[in-house]
């Protein structure tokens, strides 16, 4: 399986990956996160764990469980860490600790290297039996809500190192080593492989899209941080200047995100009775459908207000799309304004660049090609695995 990447990354890069993996072959490695499907972390682990095994590593992946109350707490942590303020459910810290203990009693933690993804399972460190622990933080912690940050920071300090996605998230108040490793996409997954035009058309048609007319696409969970209301407002402004413009906002549920339904309902309300707005809630693992929407888009939005990285940005850039992204978190790593896409700060900016992209096809084609090259050089899963393995080697000394 791993050999297939040679045609994309070249022989030397692949050889480097195999050599570094050899050094880790005697270690048992565990990834822990909070959902098997939905969202970027699950997306990466679904691809990376089999590839790491193929490289000869002894890797497992476990998902913590919790009730609705627990995931309301962790979502409130997530929002308040990213927004800098927040409201926590009653007894939030007690609920959090209770579920760490339950999960620690169910998940074997006797691995040589444990990588904990995001704050939901962060507290498992209290139950460390052995091994080196790495906290892989995927979210924006540059301006966290102090009560939550202080609570989590005490736990982070017990880890051997921490990984963040962009230099903007680095913390002066954490004493463990911090590594900057942006996430990645898998160019050979069903979501990212080239697919025939007929497949794209069939899928878009099935979801009510007129494939003869221009289409704006945003792929995101229904989450305030992804600004679905702003997406609709931007689309409505742009539509006044582009005949026949359509919008598809495509989302799916994540078991660790209890807010999805509420945000979906608000988005439906904002869309009103505009027949050219398609709000779709697809089942998990709709990778071919997501591929079709990204491939079939005339322009792609990722109008996030807060974003850890935004895998959807690289996914669409890989497909040579012009992506208009919010200037936040890891998006500016991917979008170099005017070269690999456009960065925006508000609804008017997003509308402006939708119109600009659609009215200037030659510039858009060039930007699409630049975008693809930028992802190829920086945001592929092979680079990501190499850097994870380097940190694993570092912590094991
Ligand atoms: N995704 C999906 N179906 C959807 C919405 C999102 O498969 O309906 C995928 C998307 O293609 C990407 C991931 O979920 O791979 C979202 O990752 P991202 O980093 O963009 O955002 P997150 O959800 O982690 O905040």
């Amino acid at each position: 399986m791993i050999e297939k990447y040679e045609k994309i990354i070249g022989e030397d890069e692949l050889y480097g990956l195999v050599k570094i993996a050899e050094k880790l072959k005697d270690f048992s490695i565990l990834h822990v996160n909070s959902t098997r499907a939905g969202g970027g972390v699950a997306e990466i682990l679904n691809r990376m764990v089999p590839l790491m095994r193929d490289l000869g590593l002894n890797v497992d992946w476990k998902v913590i469980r919790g009730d609705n109350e627990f995931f309301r707490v962790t979502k409130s942590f997530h929002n308040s860490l990213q927004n800098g303020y927040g409201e926590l459910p009653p007894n939030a810290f007690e609920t959090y600790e209770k579920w760490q203990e339950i999960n620690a009693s169910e998940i074997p933690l006797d691995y040589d290297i444990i990588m904990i993804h995001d704050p939901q399972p962060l507290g498992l460190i209290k139950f460390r039996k052995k091994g080196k622990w790495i906290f892989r933080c995927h979210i924006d912690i540059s301006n966290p809500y102090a009560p939550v940050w202080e609570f989590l920071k005490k736990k982070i300090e017990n880890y051997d190192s921490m990984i963040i996605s962009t230099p903007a998230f680095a913390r002066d108040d954490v004493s463990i080593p911090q590594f900057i490793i942006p996430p990645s996409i898998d160019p050979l997954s069903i979501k990212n492989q080239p697919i025939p035009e007929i497949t794209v058309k069939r899928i878009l048609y099935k979801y009510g899209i007129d494939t003869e007319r221009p289409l704006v696409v945003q792929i995101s969970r229904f989450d305030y941080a992804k600004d679905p209301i702003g997406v609709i407002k931007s689309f409505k402004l742009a539509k006044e200047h582009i005949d026949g413009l359509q919008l598809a906002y495509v989302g799916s549920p994540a078991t660790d995100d209890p807010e999805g339904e509420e945000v979906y309902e608000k988005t439906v309300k904002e869309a009103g009775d505009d027949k050219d707005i398609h709000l779709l809630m697809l089942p998990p693992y709709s990778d071919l459908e997501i591929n079709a929407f990204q491939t079939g888009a005339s322009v792609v939005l990722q109008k996030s207000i807060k974003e850890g990285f935004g895998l959807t940005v690289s996914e669409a850039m890989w497909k040579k799309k012009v992506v208009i992204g919010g200037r936040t978190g890891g998006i500016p790593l991917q979008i170099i304004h005017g070269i690999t896409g456009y960065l925006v700060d508000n609804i008017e900016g997003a509308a402006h660049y939708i119109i600009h992209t659609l009215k200037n096809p030659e510039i858009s084609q060039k930007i699409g090609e630049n975008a693809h090259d930028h992802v190829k050089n920086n945001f592929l899963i092979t680079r990501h695995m190499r850097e994870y393995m380097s940190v694993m080697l570092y912590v094991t000394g």
Side-chain angles (χ1 to χ4, degrees), residues 42-59:
E43 173 77 18
I44 293 166
L45 289 174
N46 269 305
R47 301 302 304 174
M48 190 181 274
V49 169
L51 277 177
M52 283 187 156
R53 286 185 184 148
D54 203 47
L55 277 165
L57 301 188
N58 174 7
V59 186

Side-chain angles (χ1 to χ4, degrees), residues 121-256:
L122 179 70
L124 290 176
I125 185 78
K126 190 169 159 194
F127 307 93
R128 181 201 310 232
K129 293 188 176 124
K130 62 176 241 189
K132 302 293 180 182
W133 286 52
I134 301 164
F135 174 43
R136 200 317 173 204
C137 183
H138 293 267
I139 64 174
D140 183 349
I141 46 162
S142 56
N143 177 33
Y145 178 52
V148 173
W149 174 244
E150 291 304 323
F151 173 74
L152 297 177
K153 194 176 78 175
K154 287 194 196 90
K155 303 180 187 304
I156 293 173
E157 289 288 348
N158 291 319
Y159 280 72
D160 297 290
S161 76
M162 162 171 168
I163 299 174
I164 49 181
S165 294
T166 158
F169 301 163
R171 299 289 320 174
D172 288 339
D173 57 348
V174 167
S175 65
I176 60 170
Q178 297 173 58
F179 296 92
I180 297 158
I181 304 183
S184 64
I185 62 158
D186 184 346
L188 299 183
S189 65
I190 290 175
K191 186 173 276 172
N192 294 315
Q193 269 179 358
I195 48 172
E197 199 181 327
I198 186 77
T199 309
V200 174
K201 288 199 164 158
R202 175 180 61 75
I203 291 172
L204 295 190
Y205 180 76
K206 176 176 154 195
Y207 287 100
I209 310 293
D210 177 351
T211 55
E212 300 301 314
R213 292 198 272 137
L215 174 66
V216 181
V217 166
Q218 175 158 316
I219 309 286
S220 289
R221 290 177 297 103
F222 286 88
D223 182 322
Y224 292 116
K226 313 287 183 185
D227 198 16
I229 308 286
V231 170
I232 288 180
K233 289 187 169 158
S234 307
F235 166 77
K236 286 186 172 171
L237 281 180
K239 196 184 170 191
E240 290 172 17
H241 301 268
I242 305 280
D243 282 347
L245 194 62
Q246 308 165 91
L247 169 69
Y249 187 114
V250 184
S252 64
T255 49
D256 62 348

Side-chain angles (χ1 to χ4, degrees), residues 75-88 140 143-149 224-225 305-306:
K75 183 72 185 184
S76 76
F77 283 8
H78 180 102
N79 288 342
S80 68
L81 288 168
Q82 294 214 130
N83 296 334
Y85 59 87
E87 243 174 79
L88 307 181
D140 183 349
N143 177 33
Y145 178 52
V148 173
W149 174 244
Y224 292 116
I305 296 165
K306 290 284 171 187

Side-chain angles (χ1 to χ4, degrees), residues 38-44 78 82 118 138-139 183 185 191-192 218-223 225-226 250-254 257 280-287 290-291 294 302 304 306-313 315:
V41 179
E43 173 77 18
I44 293 166
H78 180 102
Q82 294 214 130
D118 277 345
H138 293 267
I139 64 174
I185 62 158
K191 186 173 276 172
N192 294 315
Q218 175 158 316
I219 309 286
S220 289
R221 290 177 297 103
F222 286 88
D223 182 322
K226 313 287 183 185
V250 184
S252 64
D257 181 1
L280 304 173
M281 188 68 111
L282 300 188
Y285 306 111
S286 300
D287 289 359
I290 300 296
N291 188 337
Q294 289 170 332
Q302 190 54 57
S304 305
K306 290 284 171 187
E307 191 62 79
F309 180 72
L311 284 186
T312 49
V313 174
E315 288 165 2

